[in-house]
Amino acid sequence: MLSILDLDIKNKIILIRADLNVPIDSNGNITSDIRIKLSLPTIKYALSKNCKIIIASHLGNPIEGKYNDFLSLKKISIYLTKILNHKVILKKHYLNGLYFQYNEIILLENVRFNIGEKSNNEILAEKYASLCDIFVMDAFATAHRIHSSTYGIIKFAKKSCAGLLLINEIQNLTKFLKNPLKPIISIIGGSKISTKFNILKKLSTLSDKVIVGGGIANTLIALNNNIGNSLYEPNAILLAQEIIQKYKNIIIPVDCVVSTTISNNSLTQIKKITNILKNEKILDIGNKTINIIQDELKKAKTILWNGPVGVFEFKNFRKGTESIINTIINSNVFSIVGGGDTLAALELFNVFNKISYISTGGGAFLKYIEKNKLPVTSLLENIS
């Protein structure tokens, strides 16, 4: 792919498609800024070249054509102004052209407010492209989506290239796929086995061991056990059977932390997976499972992790996730971690700087590993 470093961008108008889709609480506060911080190198590089800079992003999943104040990027513009020490102005109306005032960066209002964004409407894509001399795709986390502001714009832009974050993501994922140090241990959590069925198969082929947690593990446990009132996918039992029968390197919990409620004050028990009662929920892995996982991780040279293994947001159910984090950061391994919930866990324990590579993508992270390409990266690779 052409990189922003390969082009003469000096004094040009550039549109950077970033991923500033950060979690915001009910009071309007940004609760995790990691995606914003990882987007800064491309923005700062463009500033160093005296570019006129336009930044585009989505936030959440609003109804197209309807303004949603909670999902406005005004909070992001204020944050960027502070962290860049540079004036960042939010523009609500921009599809018919923009006017730059002196020394300001323009942040476009949430692109998902625009009708046709998610259906890759070509008229909308052409309007985005008309705003700039160069389009810089830097939103790896949305590179698996064929949207007007990520994919369609490339067809109409005068010149397109990849930003520094996107290039860095691809280089590190390629390192994992093409030349990993072995043994490889992969950890996959999350609620649904159906959405991660293909990546489970791929990782079971690539990895020496695959550790499962969360709802995915619950569905596998449910094949032969009562799991009470736990989150799982009854409609995915056949998929679970296929995984278990075909791949013998998957590690399933042997015990778990259960409760009848989910809060910081929940009463908990550690139980074997064979002893769970009807009113109990599996909310974390148990001590024996933690020991098994730690022993496997200590053998690894490469660890890939996507998805916590418990409801770590509550203190009674975070021991499993915390033990994985501690084992990884105290090991001399190449570790690659991605996915929104996993990043939130890293942030909770303040260990970002102890992970070899942090991916901003969740779905894109897994899709690239599964297919070795993404729609947007494939398109950019064909540009000379």
Side-chain angles (χ1 to χ4, degrees):
M1 290 184 292
L2 271 179
S3 161
I4 189 172
L5 301 177
D6 299 322
L7 300 178
D8 178 9
I9 66 169
K10 192 173 182 180
N11 299 322
K12 298 288 198 303
I13 300 173
I14 69 168
L15 193 163
I16 302 170
R17 177 51 164 102
D19 181 18
L20 309 177
N21 182 35
V22 295
I24 296 173
D25 66 20
S26 57
N27 296 318
N29 300 311
I30 296 170
T31 58
S32 172
D33 63 357
I34 185 63
R35 279 183 169 171
I36 298 177
K37 286 181 176 177
L38 292 175
S39 298
L40 295 181
T42 298
I43 299 169
K44 288 180 176 179
Y45 178 73
L47 280 171
S48 74
K49 296 296 183 180
N50 200 35
C51 293
K52 291 182 177 178
I53 301 169
I54 305 165
I55 304 171
S57 179
H58 74 285
L59 179 63
N61 197 23
I63 298 171
E64 288 187 358
K66 291 188 177 181
Y67 176 79
N68 182 327
D69 188 64
F70 183 75
L71 296 179
S72 168
L73 294 187
K74 59 188 175 184
K75 312 164 195 74
I76 312 297
S77 67
I78 294 168
Y79 187 92
L80 282 172
T81 295
K82 182 178 178 181
I83 200 169
L84 287 168
N85 195 26
H86 197 101
K87 191 175 183 181
V88 178
I89 300 297
L90 181 69
K91 296 285 187 180
K92 286 186 178 181
H93 307 290
Y94 50 82
L95 292 177
N96 293 318
L98 287 170
Y99 173 75
F100 281 87
Q101 294 188 14
Y102 176 73
N103 204 29
E104 70 177 13
I105 295 172
I106 291 176
L107 175 64
L108 306 183
E109 182 57 284
N110 193 336
V111 293
R112 288 192 181 172
F113 288 168
N114 297 325
I115 295 173
E117 165 63 18
K118 289 166 65 176
S119 61
N120 189 33
N121 180 276
E122 289 202 343
I123 295 173
L124 179 60
E126 191 168 10
K127 287 185 176 181
Y128 290 142
S130 69
L131 300 175
C132 63
D133 299 316
I134 299 170
F135 171 63
V136 182
M137 177 57 183
D138 208 32
F140 172 76
T142 62
H144 61 313
R145 303 195 183 280
I146 302 176
H147 291 179
S148 293
S149 69
T150 60
Y151 185 92
I153 185 174
I154 297 171
K155 177 179 178 181
F156 298 102
K158 299 168 190 170
K159 201 74 179 175
S160 296
C161 65
L164 302 177
L165 182 150
L166 181 61
I167 292 291
N168 202 20
E169 293 268 15
I170 298 302
Q171 287 176 342
N172 278 279
L173 288 174
T174 300
K175 180 179 178 180
F176 171 77
L177 289 168
K178 302 295 185 185
N179 192 29
L181 294 174
K182 296 185 177 184
I184 302 169
I185 306 294
S186 295
I187 308 163
I188 298 293
S191 59
K192 294 183 177 180
I193 195 171
S194 58
T195 59
K196 295 187 176 179
F197 178 68
N198 289 332
I199 189 65
L200 272 173
K201 292 198 297 183
K202 180 68 179 281
L203 287 175
S204 296
T205 302
L206 288 173
S207 309
D208 294 274
K209 298 286 184 180
V210 177
I211 297 162
V212 293
I216 291 174
N218 294 348
T219 304
L220 294 172
I221 293 169
L223 286 173
N224 299 304
N225 302 277
N226 171 48
I227 60 166
N229 198 25
S230 307
L231 172 70
Y232 85 114
E233 281 188 285
N235 295 331
I237 289 295
L238 290 178
L239 297 180
Q241 285 178 334
E242 182 179 336
I243 288 287
I244 289 298
Q245 289 170 1
K246 189 170 182 180
Y247 302 102
K248 304 303 181 183
N249 58 344
I250 295 179
I251 297 175
I252 302 169
V254 296
D255 63 343
C256 52
V257 177
V258 301
S259 181
T260 57
T261 62
I262 306 177
S263 76
N264 283 323
N265 300 315
S266 295
L267 296 176
T268 66
Q269 286 182 281
I270 297 177
K271 288 193 168 186
K272 292 181 180 180
I273 60 172
T274 54
N275 295 336
I276 299 166
L277 302 180
K278 286 184 178 180
N279 64 332
E280 293 174 333
K281 304 174 190 287
I282 299 172
L283 298 169
D284 197 5
I285 55 176
N287 291 335
K288 288 183 179 179
T289 303
I290 288 173
N291 291 337
I292 291 169
I293 291 172
Q294 286 177 330
D295 288 343
E296 293 294 343
L297 292 178
K298 287 173 183 176
K299 301 173 189 173
K301 294 295 184 184
T302 300
I303 297 173
L304 179 140
W305 183 21
N306 175 273
V309 295
V311 189
F312 72 93
E313 295 89 346
F314 300 93
K315 61 183 180 181
N316 290 343
F317 312 119
R318 66 176 55 145
K319 185 177 179 181
T321 297
E322 185 175 12
S323 71
I324 289 173
I325 289 173
N326 287 334
T327 306
I328 292 174
I329 65 176
N330 290 315
S331 303
N332 185 25
V333 299
F334 175 72
S335 53
I336 183 165
V337 177
D341 288 339
T342 322
L343 298 191
L346 295 181
E347 194 154 37
L348 176 67
F349 297 109
N350 193 27
V351 293
F352 277 120
N353 62 340
K354 297 181 181 180
I355 302 297
S356 306
Y357 187 73
I358 295 171
S359 174
T360 56
F365 171 77
L366 296 177
K367 189 62 70 175
Y368 191 85
I369 292 169
E370 179 191 336
K371 295 182 176 287
N372 292 27
K373 61 182 179 180
L374 298 170
V376 169
T377 59
S378 294
L379 199 58
L380 287 170
E381 286 167 3
N382 291 323
I383 294 173
S384 58

